[in-house]
């Protein structure tokens, strides 16, 4: 049974979260770290946008500033996501792609990771299903046709970074004050969201603590990936790289406001 590294669960800024995710991926590619699982939250709440997205098309920038929400561009693809401080746990996996799915088949990687998240939800009392997605949406996890977990990927030299959301709660009113939906007003987007998005709290009818969700995710990943998890911190190499990426990339206006850049 393989042993993966588990990084400490914590709450961090948007730019630091993305800097660490990329630093871990680059360290795995350099074979200076094992396959790694990271679980974290966002403070303050944040909007993240896909690597190739045009910011003005996806986000109400004035409202982001008014509501004091962070904004960051990911190194991965996919759409624009609102990360609520109270509502979400984010997972991040940096690993050799062949350890998760068939070589060159991104969907098989999504399937394996979503199987693990679905198993975590099962432990919490929620039954979820894999959704293949389409040309506009990455694969995701749904409950009764409503999305509860979405993800995006970055692939490089045989390694994958997949990071994504698991909704503990969802604040649709705040989400759609920040995210633009083509041809819909904020109020209309909220109504559509109620038909398409759900959460653990929404399904169970009561709140579940972050620690409970965190522990369920650990168990789900261990069971489905057939791995052991060994708790460890970032290496000094990763710390240095993450700090540089934070300073020179993820906290800069140039990176955030310019689309179409590579790793």
């Amino acid at each position: 049974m393989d042993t993966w590294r588990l990084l400490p669960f914590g709450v961090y800024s948007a730019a630091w979260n993305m800097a660490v995710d990329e630093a871990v991926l680059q360290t795995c590619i350099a074979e200076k770290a094992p396959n790694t699982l990271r679980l974290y939250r966002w403070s303050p709440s944040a909007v993240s946008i896909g690597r190739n997205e045009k910011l003005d098309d996806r986000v109400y920038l004035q409202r982001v500033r008014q509501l004091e929400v962070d904004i960051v561009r990911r190194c991965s693809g996919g759409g624009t996501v609102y990360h609520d401080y109270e509502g979400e746990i984010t997972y991040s996996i940096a690993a050799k792609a062949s350890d998760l799915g068939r070589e060159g088949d991104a969907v098989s990687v999504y399937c394996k990771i979503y199987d693990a998240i679905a198993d975590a939800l099962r432990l919490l009392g929620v039954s979820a299903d894999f959704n293949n997605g389409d040309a506009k949406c990455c694969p995701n996890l749904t409950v009764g046709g409503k999305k509860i977990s979405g993800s995006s990927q970055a692939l490089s030299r045989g390694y994958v970074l997949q990071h994504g959301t698991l909704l503990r709660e969802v604040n649709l009113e705040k989400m759609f004050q920040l995210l633009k939906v083509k041809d819909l007003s904020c109020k209309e987007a909220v109504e559509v969201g109620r038909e398409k998005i759900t959460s653990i709290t929404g399904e169970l009818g009561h709140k579940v603590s972050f620690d409970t969700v965190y522990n369920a995710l650990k168990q789900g990943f261990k069971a489905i990936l057939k791995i052991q998890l060994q708790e460890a911190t970032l290496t000094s190499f990763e710390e240095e790289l993450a700090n540089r990426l934070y300073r020179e990339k993820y906290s800069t206006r140039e990176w955030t406001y310019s689309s179409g850049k590579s790793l």
Side-chain angles (χ1 to χ4, degrees):
M1 184 176 286
D2 290 340
T3 298
W4 286 33
R5 179 177 55 162
L6 174 66
L7 292 173
F9 182 43
V11 186
Y12 310 99
S13 72
W16 181 249
N17 276 330
M18 295 301 94
V20 171
D21 278 0
E22 184 176 341
V24 172
L25 172 64
Q26 297 296 352
T27 305
C28 289
I29 291 170
E31 299 184 348
K32 294 182 177 182
N35 291 345
T36 298
L37 170 65
R38 180 173 173 247
L39 300 166
Y40 57 88
R41 294 169 59 198
W42 307 66
S43 181
S45 299
V47 171
S48 74
I49 59 173
R51 183 178 63 239
N52 298 313
E53 290 195 298
K54 187 175 179 183
L55 191 58
D56 287 344
D57 291 345
R58 303 297 183 186
V59 181
Y60 293 106
L61 293 173
Q62 185 176 356
R63 292 177 190 162
V64 166
R65 291 188 286 269
Q66 289 172 343
L67 295 172
E68 298 182 332
V69 170
D70 270 359
I71 188 162
V72 69
R73 183 179 298 278
R74 303 188 304 272
C75 68
S76 57
T80 302
V81 182
Y82 171 59
H83 306 277
D84 189 77
Y85 169 72
E86 290 291 347
E88 178 189 324
I89 281 186
T90 301
Y91 77 86
S92 173
I93 282 180
K96 190 175 289 185
S98 59
D99 289 341
L100 290 165
R102 295 182 298 276
E103 188 172 350
D105 183 359
V107 173
S108 69
V109 175
Y110 277 114
C111 283
K112 178 66 75 172
I113 292 174
Y114 277 133
D115 280 347
I117 299 172
D119 196 57
L121 285 167
R122 178 188 61 79
L123 293 172
L124 296 170
V126 178
S127 179
D129 298 303
F130 179 73
N131 183 318
N132 279 305
D134 54 36
K136 291 185 178 180
C137 298
C138 297
N140 54 66
L141 207 61
T142 58
V143 178
K146 296 182 178 182
K147 184 176 178 179
I148 197 168
S149 177
S151 305
S152 59
Q153 288 183 358
L155 295 162
S156 181
R157 287 178 272 178
Y159 283 79
V160 61
L161 168 66
Q162 183 168 317
H163 46 193
T165 64
L166 178 58
L167 294 178
R168 171 179 170 261
E169 300 175 359
V170 61
N171 185 337
L172 293 172
E173 287 75 15
K174 187 170 182 181
M175 179 185 294
F176 292 111
Q177 283 185 66
L178 300 165
L179 307 187
K180 293 181 179 180
V181 179
K182 189 176 181 181
D183 298 328
L184 294 180
S185 68
C186 296
K187 184 177 179 180
E188 290 168 334
V190 168
E191 293 305 312
V192 171
R194 289 199 177 103
E195 301 300 317
K196 294 189 174 183
I197 301 169
T198 190
S199 67
I200 295 169
T201 296
E203 293 301 315
L204 296 179
H206 61 82
K207 290 188 177 183
V208 177
S209 72
F210 278 108
D211 283 345
T212 299
V213 179
Y214 169 71
N215 287 322
L217 283 166
K218 286 197 301 182
Q219 293 304 315
F221 280 112
K222 286 167 64 176
I224 299 303
L225 301 185
K226 295 180 171 56
I227 58 173
Q228 293 293 333
L229 291 172
Q230 182 173 343
E231 295 186 11
T233 57
L234 294 174
T235 65
S236 57
F237 176 86
E238 285 168 315
E239 286 274 8
E240 183 178 344
L241 180 54
N243 275 294
R244 180 164 59 81
L245 287 166
Y246 173 85
R247 201 172 52 247
E248 299 178 5
K249 185 175 183 178
Y250 289 104
S251 63
T252 67
R253 184 179 179 85
E254 179 185 10
W255 169 258
T256 301
Y257 285 79
S258 300
S259 62
K261 299 202 174 185
S262 64
L263 282 173

